[in-house]
Amino acid sequence: MATDSEFYPKDDHSWKTWMFQEYLQVRGPLTEENVMEYFEESFLFDRSSNNNVLRMQTQHADPNLRMGRLETENELKRFTGMEYALVHSQAPLFVIQQRDRLSPTEGMNPSSIFPERF
């Protein structure tokens, strides 16, 4: 018998679901400020992304000074390459876009979209 994965290309994760129940129990419902942190825990998050590089660069900073969503987006403009961005935020639907930043001033090429619905 065929499995779901046989009907989709290898890099197509649109048929897969993921939930980190423990995160939601501890942190509460997803918001515009924490949905990216939640997404970083999923199998869809690429550890080589600019988001992760920035997180690693700032991980030992004072937790009280942790960057918010807008500050993170501004810092990501310094990088080129693959990044994730929250492009829609209206609970219970959050849409995260994977895109390639060509330069700090040039546009981006979107490549994937990951809806998070709760």
Side-chain angles (χ1 to χ4, degrees), residues 24 28-36 38-39 69 85-97 113-118:
L24 299 172
L30 293 180
T31 66
E32 191 174 274
E33 286 298 320
N34 70 5
V35 70
M36 292 300 289
Y38 178 83
F39 179 69
R69 183 180 65 85
L86 181 62
V87 294
H88 177 80
S89 173
Q90 187 174 1
L93 178 65
F94 300 90
V95 178
I96 297 168
Q97 181 181 64
I113 294 186
F114 306 98
E116 301 285 338
R117 185 181 305 251
F118 299 92

Side-chain angles (χ1 to χ4, degrees), residues 35-58:
V35 70
M36 292 300 289
E37 180 181 73
Y38 178 83
F39 179 69
E40 289 172 358
E41 300 296 329
S42 87
F43 69 93
L44 297 167
F45 183 75
D46 186 337
R47 302 278 182 245
S48 66
S49 69
N50 293 340
N51 302 69
N52 199 49
V53 171
L54 182 59
R55 182 173 70 164
M56 297 302 284
Q57 289 177 354
T58 60

